Amino acid sequence: MGRRLRIGIDTGGTFTDVVALDEDTGEYITTKTPSTPSDPAEGFLAAAAKVLAGDGPLPAEAVGLSHGTTVATNRLLEDRIEDLGFITTEGFESVLEIARQSVPDGYGNSYFWVKPPRIVPVHRVRTVGGRLDHTGAELRPFDQAGAVRAARWFRDRGIAAIGVCFLHSYADPSHELAMREVLRREHPEAVVSLSCEVLREYREYERSVTTLVDAAVKPVMARYLARIIERIGDRASARAPARLHVMKSNGGVLSAEEVVHQPITTVLSGPAAGALGAAFVAARAGRGSVVTLDGGGTSTDVAVVLDGEPTLTTEGAIGRHPVKIPMIDIVTVGAGGGSVARVSPEGTMKVGPRSAGADPGPLCYGRGGTEPTVTDAHAVLGRIPPHLLGGEIPLDVDAARAGLAELAATLGLSVERAATGILEISAWNQANAIRQITVKRGLDVRDYPLVAFGGSGPLLACRLLDVLGPPAAIVPENPGNLSAFGLLTVDVKNDYVRTRVMRDTGLDLGAVAAAFGDLEREAATALDREGFPPARRRFARTADLRYHGQAFEVRVPAPAGPVTEDFRAEVVGRFHDAHEALYGYCYRDDPDRHPVEWVNYRVSGIGPIDRPRPRERPPGDGDPSRALVSSRRVHFGDGWTETPVYERALLAPGDVIEGPAIVQEFGSTLPLHPGFRAEADPCGNLTVTRAERE
């Protein structure tokens, strides 16, 4: 009998990362394969085959498989949205054109900003008669004849992806459900998304766009997952796992069979897994609250973890499309290893957001790249080894130097100065993203250690400590595979929401209890389908509250148990506290002039999994020289220095390395600048601090 592996596979822009946990021995297997942007399924299948084949005499068997995917995200970022139709309430056909009055970057650019094209052009919008009020009461009956005309109009034009959003259907979905039945009869080939199933929450514009985004990615996600499920067994020479799970933006996973019905929930799949993996690693190291930095080949994703949990939001966007779904609060910048360096029309150096990607990739990959990148700068300065992935990808440092020489000549700089400038700009791009996720949310970045991971995440860790001043940077073991590892730590999770606006004064506790009860029953039904018995289920409540007259709400946790007066008082108290923390004030003592309103009620249904239990390493003798494998010339910004190179796998807990030094491993490299030190801990992490802090 072969090994029984639980596998996490995260598909990034440049590499596909794999972590496998041997269910019997607790051993971890990590590897990477190049991503295949033209056909992401090929990269996924190659990664699965690689880890299942292994080095042993016996074949491995996949007993579980979790996947972080960028298929839905890339579809939206690249604006590959075709033949999408929209059905809405009669008289509201311009909801997408009206949109919101907000202008990106404030009023400074408002004179030059041009409203982008709508996700569905006006000529592919059809309306149907019928009207509900905000309580769900029917004002005008559903127009069956009009619904048939709309369905036939889309059928006759071959438009097979359709989003349906009727006014106030969050309060009563009956009209939308009736529309789906008409589409099934008249246009059976159509793939339909209903707003009452995608986002049962008020605000018509956001609900409409979120529903249309779901409809836009549903066909491609269905094909992608069907192909993987069909071929994983043949390609890996092992039986397909009992169930393929896909990472969701909300920090949970869901079976592939369910995800195809709600593909919009995967739009931040990969970055969410990274944030959860970082939270798991930081908690084991005794750090409950951290800033996470996931540096990849195409971009860098940053998030905040508070008390062991990544912060969540529903105010997100993918490209130009607002999506109002629960998602881990992540800021993404085009500052990855493949980010291209160029001279702007103004004569200054720019780095990113355009990326060389996986193919052709940076100049040093030798695959036909023509522009210098961040990775090329690291290679020229000696900060990464002359090969990647343990020798699987040799680097052509001479090609990188030649490309950088052209850029440097244009700017009148030496090659080393140009390379250092590229890395400095990249570091500040990352620092600004971290400020956006912390300072703009009322958090002081100096209070939170930085967890740096991803293939390129640790490369600029020392510079970020200088720029931002966090107390330390934690570099996990196998940082390049942490997102894939995070997939093994994630529970099954579904989110449900209802809108019903009520004043806190004289609050109808029965209505609140009914709302939470309905949501918990929905969540329980979904967990039934996922195979979780009642004893293994958990429900987490939250509520969105605001002061009367405010346009937006603040979400706070709500306790379990009966909805009583004590329940109400506790939730309202949490709202006042959260409002004061966010905005610096609250109206706790003035309820008559500033009454509180309850707006949305939310329940997350959670099916807990058995999390990995990594083993702690025994301490060493305190002498890191056992890990010293070579030395090479490295440029840290002020000249070339002969620098010791350490193999991370040979370090033991308690070992301390003083910079300048290079710590290398299979999937990533940590350049330890002069004036910094790194200490290995029992969990396999390296904690980087400024030497003078000790």
Side-chain angles (χ1 to χ4, degrees):
M1 181 178 176
R3 292 172 301 169
R4 300 168 59 253
L5 300 180
R6 189 148 59 98
I7 304 171
I9 299 180
D10 177 57
T11 301
T14 305
F15 290 106
T16 294
D17 305 329
V18 190
V19 172
L21 171 65
D22 190 313
E23 292 276 281
D24 301 312
T25 67
E27 175 192 2
Y28 285 97
I29 304 160
T30 62
T31 189
K32 286 175 175 276
T33 61
S35 293
T36 52
S38 60
D39 184 359
E42 280 300 315
F44 175 93
L45 293 165
K50 185 175 181 180
V51 74
L52 286 168
D55 300 322
L58 296 175
E61 176 184 343
V63 296
L65 187 58
S66 296
H67 180 31
T69 175
T70 58
V71 168
T73 309
N74 292 342
R75 190 81 173 183
L76 300 173
L77 291 177
E78 296 166 14
D79 264 343
R80 290 186 290 138
I81 297 174
E82 303 170 358
D83 298 330
L84 182 62
F86 182 40
I87 299 175
T88 190
T89 301
E90 187 177 49
F92 288 81
E93 56 269 28
S94 298
V95 64
L96 301 179
E97 300 299 320
I98 297 170
R100 294 294 181 193
Q101 67 177 4
S102 58
V103 175
D105 301 322
Y107 292 102
N109 292 329
S110 60
Y111 290 109
F112 310 102
W113 179 71
V114 177
K115 185 183 291 188
R118 302 296 90 190
I119 187 172
V120 175
V122 67
H123 68 273
R124 289 210 300 265
V125 177
R126 285 295 173 269
T127 64
V128 174
R131 184 70 179 270
L132 306 172
D133 70 11
H134 70 283
T135 68
E138 187 175 81
L139 302 178
R140 290 196 296 273
F142 178 69
D143 181 359
Q144 284 280 348
V148 169
R149 286 193 298 271
R152 291 175 177 175
W153 189 91
F154 287 116
R155 181 198 62 193
D156 294 343
R157 286 156 182 80
I159 298 172
I162 301 171
V164 179
C165 182
F166 290 149
L167 194 67
H168 301 309
S169 58
Y170 58 84
D172 182 347
S174 58
H175 285 192
E176 287 191 356
L177 296 174
M179 186 70 235
R180 179 162 61 190
E181 290 305 311
V182 171
L183 285 165
R184 282 175 174 167
R185 293 195 310 268
E186 303 293 336
H187 190 5
E189 296 82 13
V191 176
V192 181
S193 293
L194 304 182
S195 78
C196 64
E197 295 177 345
V198 175
L199 181 68
R200 198 163 171 181
E201 182 177 341
Y202 87 135
R203 293 196 173 97
E204 305 309 316
Y205 171 65
E206 287 80 5
R207 189 155 55 90
S208 296
V209 175
T210 303
T211 302
L212 288 165
V213 167
D214 186 78
V217 299
K218 189 173 283 186
V220 67
M221 278 295 292
R223 290 193 298 268
Y224 172 71
L225 292 174
R227 186 178 181 199
I228 286 177
I229 292 171
E230 178 184 353
R231 295 181 59 192
I232 181 64
D234 295 336
R235 286 289 296 271
S237 299
R239 72 171 179 84
R243 180 161 280 185
L244 169 65
H245 284 91
V246 179
M247 184 73 208
K248 297 171 62 179
S249 309
N250 67 352
V253 292
L254 196 62
S255 64
E257 295 86 351
E258 292 292 325
V259 161
V260 295
H261 301 301
Q262 42 181 295
I264 192 174
T265 62
T266 70
V267 292
L268 285 178
S269 180
L276 286 157
F280 182 89
V281 166
R284 289 192 71 234
R287 310 273 193 168
S289 298
V290 294
V291 174
T292 72
L293 182 140
D294 181 359
T298 305
S299 62
T300 293
D301 306 305
V302 297
V304 173
V305 175
L306 298 177
D307 297 325
E309 296 289 341
T311 56
L312 296 174
T313 183
T314 56
E315 305 298 328
I318 305 299
R320 60 184 176 88
H321 309 297
V323 287
K324 195 173 173 60
I325 60 169
M327 62 180 72
I328 292 178
D329 196 0
I330 293 172
V331 171
T332 299
V333 291
S339 295
V340 170
R342 66 195 186 282
V343 178
S344 72
E346 298 80 22
T348 60
M349 185 189 292
K350 300 288 186 183
V351 180
R354 187 162 53 86
S355 173
D359 187 13
L363 292 168
C364 59
Y365 281 16
R367 297 176 182 164
T370 59
E371 297 175 290
T373 66
V374 171
T375 296
D376 293 312
H378 282 296
V380 165
L381 296 177
R383 299 191 190 180
I384 58 177
H387 51 76
L388 298 179
L389 305 187
E392 291 184 21
I393 302 179
L395 300 184
D396 187 344
V397 180
D398 290 338
R401 177 173 284 275
L404 278 171
E406 292 184 24
L407 178 69
T410 304
L411 295 167
L413 302 172
S414 68
V415 172
E416 289 79 8
R417 183 68 174 162
T420 302
I422 290 171
L423 300 187
E424 185 73 0
I425 293 170
S426 184
W428 279 92
N429 287 341
Q430 292 181 355
N432 288 335
I434 292 172
R435 287 193 176 103
Q436 186 176 340
I437 202 78
T438 55
V439 176
K440 288 188 176 181
R441 289 157 173 76
L443 304 173
D444 190 337
V445 67
R446 295 170 297 182
D447 295 335
Y448 301 93
L450 180 69
V451 181
F453 60 99
S456 67
L459 291 171
L460 296 171
C462 290
R463 188 66 187 119
L464 290 171
L465 290 180
D466 272 337
V467 171
L468 296 171
I474 300 169
V475 181
E477 190 175 18
N478 295 312
N481 291 66
L482 190 68
S483 291
F485 172 79
L487 291 166
L488 304 180
T489 72
V490 181
D491 297 325
V492 170
K493 184 179 179 184
N494 260 329
D495 298 301
Y496 302 89
V497 60
R498 291 288 185 278
T499 296
R500 182 171 178 179
V501 181
M502 293 184 285
R503 290 281 184 96
D504 182 59
T505 305
L507 181 68
D508 185 345
L509 297 177
V512 175
F516 280 123
D518 289 344
L519 295 172
E520 287 171 0
R521 281 187 288 276
E522 279 192 60
T525 300
L527 290 173
D528 272 339
R529 293 195 297 268
E530 294 290 306
F532 288 92
R536 292 190 60 209
R537 300 171 188 165
R538 183 164 61 87
F539 302 105
R541 297 173 174 175
T542 55
D544 299 350
L545 282 72
R546 67 188 179 193
Y547 293 116
H548 177 65
Q550 288 183 326
F552 292 94
E553 303 81 42
V554 175
R555 184 173 310 163
V556 295
V563 177
T564 62
E565 178 60 29
D566 289 341
F567 172 97
R568 183 206 64 79
E570 183 170 349
V571 173
V572 172
R574 291 176 180 179
F575 164 70
H576 290 310
D577 293 341
H579 195 282
E580 187 166 21
L582 282 169
Y583 304 113
Y585 71 95
C586 71
Y587 296 116
R588 188 191 313 271
D589 300 323
D590 196 4
D592 294 332
R593 293 179 56 196
H594 300 283
V596 172
E597 286 182 333
W598 295 60
V599 180
N600 297 315
Y601 314 86
R602 302 178 186 271
V603 166
S604 295
I606 301 167
I609 65 161
D610 294 327
R611 284 179 167 74
R613 296 178 177 84
R615 292 169 290 188
E616 290 193 357
R617 297 183 175 186
D621 56 12
D623 181 8
S625 62
R626 82 179 79 78
L628 182 61
V629 292
S630 65
S631 68
R632 66 170 177 264
R633 295 174 71 240
V634 181
H635 198 290
F636 286 103
D638 54 359
W640 291 94
T641 304
E642 190 66 24
T643 303
V645 177
Y646 294 86
E647 187 63 40
R648 181 166 181 178
L650 301 177
L651 294 172
D655 287 350
V656 176
I657 298 174
E658 302 285 347
I662 298 291
V663 183
Q664 65 185 25
E665 56 188 304
F666 176 79
S668 189
T669 301
L670 170 64
L672 198 62
H673 290 225
F676 289 83
R677 67 200 300 268
E679 181 174 355
D681 71 12
C683 301
N685 305 308
L686 291 177
T687 301
V688 180
T689 56
R690 292 198 64 88
E692 59 261 32
R693 288 183 181 273
E694 301 299 318

